[in-house]
């Protein structure tokens, strides 16, 4: 993984010292909250319902065991013993006292971490496929390009105060696991005639006006991608709405101009760049950064593990876990392991300090020191030998992390909702946990198969409800919480926005309604191999809507 150079280390340390002074002035009353707000946001500090929240950057979702242990220590020593992993492949601490945040940032700097640009109207953490470097279907490892984009975007003077926050996602795999089409910019790495380049999508996003991104350019050579991103950002920075924060995202600009006109303006801006404005990106520098992400030296192993097969035969629960939580590795004899942070009864995405310590230990001992965070709020061990899977599972299961549900119905994306967030209209965590209970039987869940439920506590869509196969959106109606149900969303290479199918339901009615929809799917699918989303697309929304609102 990428290692800080002298420049990286210095700017992070200087930022910590600067913010320490700003916090001291806020605590003394020298700075009022309105004056402090823009300063704290530049350091990832939010003011939520009950306390300040600190959001920490995990660039492209990659952690070392040392870094994960430090996050566990922060959870233990400065929070309430847990952290919350987010859809931006970051981590949030919801109960850190303001006076302690400079100390936390200093401890993060010691392990090459920070909270810079995790908030504010800037380019946020660039995300990618959580199986990057291990997936069989990738053209190349996209993490190096995520790092190049991180270096380009951090403290970029022209884009430090954009009309709104800006999010970039990168994938290099045939199957999109990074949801690039619902990002401000989505980059898909391709090979064309032996050359590496980027398929560029612009103007995706969720929130109150969701959009699927427009395909702006089918192939930008790698040597030109930063210049092309500069052109995209300049058009947005110049013409993006600043008079209305609800219309300030680039998706609105692309929609209002129209795709053709927006593309014309980007191409015109790109062509107008003078030689002195071009970004010098030598091939040697690209190669140097790629070298940081060289694959681990995996020992040769047989493609079939007798140890694994014997353990599966002896333990049905373990066998079920291997069917759900393993992903094929590009090297025979290995697998990528999803560590589910969605056990029954726990807020999705939460991990205790002890659990983080355990995953760090497993990553160090069995995972070649590589740990990832997925945008679905789980952790990943991308390089685990098949022979080691039984002992890894046993340790995870003992720590409450043995849920066999990756991409299943209880593996929900869920925002913190009204339990934490001052923007939320409704609670999202209790509704999600209530739905989980309905599908708690592992055999039942396995029979249902791949089915994504996403839950948001407000229209801002931090729970990605627009792109869930089933989306649940909390709304406020005259002081009472209701939940609108959306059907048909997806965030993959066939990205689509879910449609609201009828009036909102009371919280107590949601679990039974979801159960009716799932039972209708099971009755109507052509076979257990037909996924929920495929059955929905084949039959249409109307019949599923009838099942949703049928008399209980």
């Amino acid at each position: 993984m990428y290692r800080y150079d002298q420049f990286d280390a210095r700017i992070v340390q200087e930022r910590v010292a600067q913010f320490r002074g700003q916090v001291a002035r806020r605590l003394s009353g020298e700075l009022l909250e309105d004056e402090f707000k823009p300063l704290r946001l530049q350091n990832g500090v939010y003011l939520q319902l009950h306390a300040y929240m600190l959001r920490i950057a995990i660039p492209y979702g990659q952690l070392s065991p040392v870094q994960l242990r430090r996050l566990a220590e922060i959870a233990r020593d400065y929070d309430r013993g847990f952290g919350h992993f987010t859809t931006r492949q970051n981590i949030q601490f919801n109960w850190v006292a303001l006076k302690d945040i400079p100390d936390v940032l200093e401890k993060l700097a010691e392990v090459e971490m920070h909270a810079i640009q995790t908030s504010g109207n800037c380019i946020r953490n660039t995300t990618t496929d959580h199986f990057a470097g291990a997936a069989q279907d990738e053209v190349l490892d996209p993490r190096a390009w995520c790092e190049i984009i991180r270096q380009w975007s951090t403290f970029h003077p022209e884009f430090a105060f954009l009309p709104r926050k800006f999010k970039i996602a990168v994938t290099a795999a045939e199957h999109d696991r990074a949801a690039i089409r619902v990002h401000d910019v989505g980059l898909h790495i391709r090979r064309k005639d032996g050359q590496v380049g980027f398929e560029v999508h612009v103007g995706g996003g969720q929130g109150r006006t969701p959009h699927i991104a427009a395909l702006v350019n089918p192939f930008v050579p790698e040597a030109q991608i930063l210049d092309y991103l500069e052109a995209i950002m300049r058009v947005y920075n110049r013409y993006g709405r600043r008079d209305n924060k609800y219309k300030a995202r680039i998706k609105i600009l692309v929609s209002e101009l129209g795709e053709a006109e927006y593309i014309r303006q980007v191409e015109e801006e790109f062509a107008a760049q003078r030689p002195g404005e071009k970004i010098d990106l030598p091939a040697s520098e690209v190669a140097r950064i790629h070298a940081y992400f060289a694959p681990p030296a995996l020992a040769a192993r047989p493609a079939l593990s007798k140890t694994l097969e014997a353990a599966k035969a002896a333990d049905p629960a373990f066998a079920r876990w291997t069917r759900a939580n393993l992903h094929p590795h590009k090297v025979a004899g290995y697998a990528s392991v999803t560590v589910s942070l969605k056990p029954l009864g726990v807020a999705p995405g939460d991990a205790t300090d002890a659990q983080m310590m355990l995953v760090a230990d497993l990553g160090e001992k069995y995972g070649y020191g590589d740990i990832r965070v997925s945008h679905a709020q789980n952790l990943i061990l991308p390089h685990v030998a098949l022979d080691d899977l039984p002992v890894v599972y046993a340790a995870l299961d003992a720590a409450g992390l043995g849920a066999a549900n990756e991409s299943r119905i209880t593996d929900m994306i869920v925002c913190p909702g009204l339990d934490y967030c001052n923007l939320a209209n409704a609670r999202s965590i209790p509704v999600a946990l209530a739905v989980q209970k309905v599908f708690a039987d592992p055999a039942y869940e396995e029979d249902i198969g791949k089915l994504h439920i996403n839950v948001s506590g407000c229209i801002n869509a931090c729970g990605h409800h627009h792109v869930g196969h089933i989306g649940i959106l909390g709304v406020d109606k005259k002081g009472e919480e209701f939940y609108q149900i959306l059907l048909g969303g997806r965030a993959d290479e066939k990205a689509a926005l879910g449609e609201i199918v009828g009036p909102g339901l009371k919280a107590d009615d949601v679990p039974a309604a979801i159960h009716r929809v799932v039972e209708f799917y099971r009755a109507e699918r052509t076979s257990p191999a037909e996924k929920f989303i495929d059955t929905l697309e084949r039959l249409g929304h109307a019949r599923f809507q009838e099942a949703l609102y049928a008399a209980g």
Side-chain angles (χ1 to χ4, degrees), residues 264-308:
R264 187 196 68 78
Q265 291 198 23
V266 169
E267 293 295 334
E268 182 179 79
E269 179 66 37
F270 180 62
Q273 292 172 353
R274 295 184 292 272
E277 294 179 289
K278 295 290 185 181
I279 298 171
D280 182 16
L281 190 61
S284 59
E285 179 63 8
V286 175
R288 184 183 73 87
I289 294 177
H290 272 289
Y292 282 112
F293 301 97
L298 302 179
R301 293 177 178 271
L304 183 66
S305 166
K306 294 181 180 179
T307 300
L308 173 62

Side-chain angles (χ1 to χ4, degrees), residues 212-277:
I212 300 298
L215 175 59
V216 167
N217 195 313
F219 193 83
V220 177
E222 59 179 345
Q224 299 176 9
I225 190 60
L226 294 186
D227 291 324
Y228 203 81
L229 287 174
E230 290 260 355
I232 289 169
M233 298 303 300
R234 284 178 177 174
V235 172
Y236 170 55
N237 205 20
R238 187 181 307 135
Y239 298 115
R241 297 280 296 271
R242 295 179 186 271
D243 61 323
N244 184 331
K245 70 177 184 178
Y246 301 116
K247 296 184 178 182
R249 299 294 292 272
I250 195 172
K251 63 189 178 183
I252 302 299
L253 179 64
V254 174
S255 176
E256 291 186 346
L257 288 176
E259 292 181 14
E261 174 60 17
Y262 176 75
I263 292 169
R264 187 196 68 78
Q265 291 198 23
V266 169
E267 293 295 334
E268 182 179 79
E269 179 66 37
F270 180 62
Q273 292 172 353
R274 295 184 292 272
E277 294 179 289

Side-chain angles (χ1 to χ4, degrees), residues 20-33:
R20 187 180 294 279
Q22 294 165 349
V23 169
R25 285 187 287 150
R26 173 70 188 106
L27 293 174
S28 71
E30 185 179 347
L31 281 177
L32 300 177
E33 177 56 36

Side-chain angles (χ1 to χ4, degrees), residues 70-221:
R70 181 55 51 91
L71 295 177
E73 291 165 3
I74 291 168
R76 180 193 67 207
D77 298 338
Y78 295 96
D79 203 278
R80 296 185 176 179
F82 67 94
H84 177 72
F85 290 94
T86 78
T87 57
R88 198 97 221 116
Q89 296 181 313
N90 291 325
I91 188 171
Q92 294 178 180
F93 291 108
N94 291 297
W95 302 101
V96 181
L98 180 59
K99 67 179 180 61
D100 293 329
I101 290 179
D103 291 338
V104 171
L105 294 177
E106 188 169 358
K107 290 183 177 297
L108 290 170
E110 293 171 356
V111 295
E112 302 185 355
M113 298 187 76
H114 60 75
I116 297 167
Q117 292 184 202
T118 60
S119 178
N121 295 336
C122 60
I123 299 173
R124 301 287 186 87
N125 185 34
T126 297
T127 57
T128 194
D129 183 355
H130 44 276
F131 297 129
Q136 292 179 348
D137 61 338
E138 67 182 13
V139 170
L140 53 77
D141 187 338
R143 290 174 296 163
W145 280 106
C146 292
E147 174 56 30
I148 291 169
I149 292 169
R150 184 195 70 81
Q151 294 188 22
W152 162 77
S153 63
T154 301
F155 300 137
H156 194 304
E158 193 171 349
F159 308 134
F161 296 98
L162 294 166
R164 281 287 276 138
K165 58 187 176 181
F166 202 91
K167 300 176 180 180
I168 300 173
V170 185
T171 189
E174 199 58 40
H175 177 53
D176 180 9
R177 291 176 289 268
I180 67 167
R181 290 161 180 81
V182 285
H183 277 75
D184 297 298
V185 170
L187 301 176
H188 197 152
I189 299 175
R190 303 285 195 182
R191 284 192 189 275
K192 181 180 179 182
D193 300 326
Q195 185 181 17
V196 173
F198 294 81
E199 181 182 285
V200 181
H201 302 258
V202 180
Q206 299 185 64
R208 65 183 60 232
T209 50
H211 286 271
I212 300 298
L215 175 59
V216 167
N217 195 313
F219 193 83
V220 177

Side-chain angles (χ1 to χ4, degrees), residues 18 48 62 80 117 230 274 286 331 421 471 549:
Q18 179 189 61
Q48 295 205 300
Q62 180 159 3
R80 296 185 176 179
Q117 292 184 202
E230 290 260 355
R274 295 184 292 272
V286 175
V331 177
C421 182
Y549 292 102

